[in-house]
Amino acid sequence: MIISGKDLAREVKENIARKVASYKVEYGREPHLCVILVGDDPSSRTYVRSKGKAAAEVGFQHTELLLPAEITEQELIDKIHELNADVGIDGILVQLPLPKHIRKHRVIEAIDPEKDVDGFHSHNVDALWHKLPGIRACTPKGIIKMLDKAGVEIAGHHAVVIGRSNIVGFPVAKLLLDRNATVTIAHSHTRNLGDITRTADILVVAIGVPKLITADMVKDGVAVIDVGISHDPETGKLSGDVDFDSVEPKASVITPVPGGVGPMTIACLMENTLDCYTRKMQW
Ligand code: NAD
């Protein structure tokens, strides 16, 4: 079974749009998401555009703040502080990566944790690790929703996560652990990767190496979540980390690239924005 992230994302967004319509009547305004883009990297522009499109679909107010690549770190932080103080803005996101002269961690830490819709601020990361309420990162959240939608049993099963970034690998491993999976995290120093992946009931791959995972590296019936997005050097086409054609016949469920995790990440961003708004309005 192929898990369509597109279809599930549509369901999630339709549900959000329904809530926005009634909250607008109740609270007098819609949720407002502000996305900051520094510089004009073409891939980042595409991501920012998709986020704006999704925000419009669910009925949010949406501001795109385009800042020049030469902006200083302090100027960017000052701008974020202004947005933090603006009661009409519910969610703030800074599109990554940032230009080299700007320290990512300083910028993320400048965002009010209550408006940190990406869930990257240390308060929200801390909340995840301590099982406290907080904003969960969008991609890991989307992955769990996809597994649930596909009816994959997580508790008691062996989940192998390849990749340990703070954005995907690490938090998804924690969410799986919290759902009572036995979790192994593999990374670029892991030896004999295939010996580990072949033991996985659930395999989450988030590395950015096209088609690294081949049929010989998985067991029959595995649930495969392919997070990777890169370009196949042979065809130039968008590719996941999993060799879809060879792995799909062995998998019980699998996500495609494109149309898998990507749309769900954006849908979860909308959900996080709505949550920030409702927390504020219902305070
Ligand atoms: P990252 O570069 O921060 O981390 C990559 C991880 O992969 C590292 O932990 C590294 O140790 C591991 N790795 C690299 N090569 C490996 C190898 N050969 N064997 C085993 N482990 C290896 O990347 P990231 O931000 O976590 O993103 C990973 C991929 O997921 C990228 O392709 C990115 O574009 C994609 N991504 C997709 C979404 C989405 O919404 N679909 C969201 C975030 C990231």
Side-chain angles (χ1 to χ4, degrees):
M1 181 175 105
I2 298 171
I3 313 175
S4 167
K6 257 189 188 167
D7 291 350
L8 183 53
R10 193 178 310 116
E11 266 179 48
V12 171
K13 285 188 287 184
E14 280 168 4
N15 192 22
I16 294 172
R18 271 193 296 276
K19 287 182 180 163
V20 170
S22 79
Y23 285 150
K24 208 177 150 181
V25 175
E26 195 173 342
Y27 301 123
R29 72 165 177 88
E30 57 279 87
H32 187 170
L33 171 66
C34 180
V35 178
I36 303 174
L37 175 64
V38 181
D40 58 1
D41 172 69
S43 312
S44 295
R45 270 193 167 278
T46 308
Y47 287 126
V48 167
R49 255 199 307 274
S50 321
K51 288 165 188 175
K53 190 168 161 264
E57 273 169 31
V58 297
F60 290 173
Q61 197 183 334
H62 168 247
T63 303
E64 246 174 49
L65 202 56
L66 306 176
L67 300 173
E70 308 73 45
I71 193 169
T72 66
E73 183 180 281
Q74 195 53 51
E75 284 167 340
L76 176 57
I77 289 172
D78 290 345
K79 193 76 221 165
I80 292 170
H81 287 158
E82 265 176 45
L83 299 169
N84 286 344
D86 186 336
V87 289
I89 290 181
D90 307 291
I92 303 168
L93 175 160
V94 179
Q95 185 63 44
L96 300 176
L98 286 165
K100 286 202 168 39
H101 67 280
I102 299 177
R103 286 166 292 179
K104 181 176 82 174
H105 73 275
R106 284 216 57 217
V107 170
I108 290 172
E109 291 306 298
I111 299 172
D112 178 349
E114 301 284 327
K115 296 188 178 188
D116 167 40
V117 282
D118 259 339
F120 295 163
H121 190 287
S122 58
H123 284 212
N124 287 315
V125 175
D126 187 68
L128 167 70
W129 289 89
H130 287 101
K131 290 197 201 175
L132 295 169
I135 302 167
R136 303 294 187 242
C138 304
T139 304
K141 196 172 163 180
I143 291 170
I144 301 295
K145 279 186 194 287
M146 291 176 96
L147 289 170
D148 284 342
K149 178 72 181 178
V152 175
E153 208 180 311
I154 299 175
H157 286 82
H158 185 203
V160 173
V161 177
I162 317 179
R164 54 175 169 177
S165 74
N166 288 330
I167 293 176
V168 190
F170 228 36
V172 82
K174 178 64 167 72
L175 290 180
L176 287 162
L177 194 60
D178 289 347
R179 291 283 299 269
N180 299 318
T182 301
V183 181
T184 301
I185 304 177
H187 45 77
S188 50
H189 294 266
T190 301
R191 293 187 187 155
N192 306 324
L193 188 61
D195 289 348
I196 293 165
T197 54
R198 273 187 291 275
T199 65
D201 303 308
I202 299 167
L203 180 62
V204 180
V205 197
I207 53 182
V209 181
K211 299 185 180 174
L212 182 80
I213 304 301
T214 46
D216 58 308
M217 295 172 78
V218 299
K219 71 174 178 186
D220 283 327
V222 62
V224 181
I225 304 285
D226 188 355
V227 187
I229 306 174
S230 45
H231 288 277
D232 186 328
E234 279 170 27
T235 62
K237 282 190 182 162
L238 210 59
S239 167
D241 294 338
V242 175
D243 179 11
F244 186 90
D245 292 338
S246 80
V247 171
E248 192 258 342
K250 290 181 87 175
S252 56
V253 297
I254 187 167
T255 60
V257 177
V261 176
M264 275 308 290
T265 296
I266 293 184
C268 289
L269 175 66
M270 300 304 125
E271 201 173 80
N272 282 352
T273 306
L274 183 70
D275 288 348
C276 291
Y277 161 90
T278 47
R279 253 197 310 276
K280 192 197 286 176
M281 294 305 190
Q282 291 167 357
W283 187 247

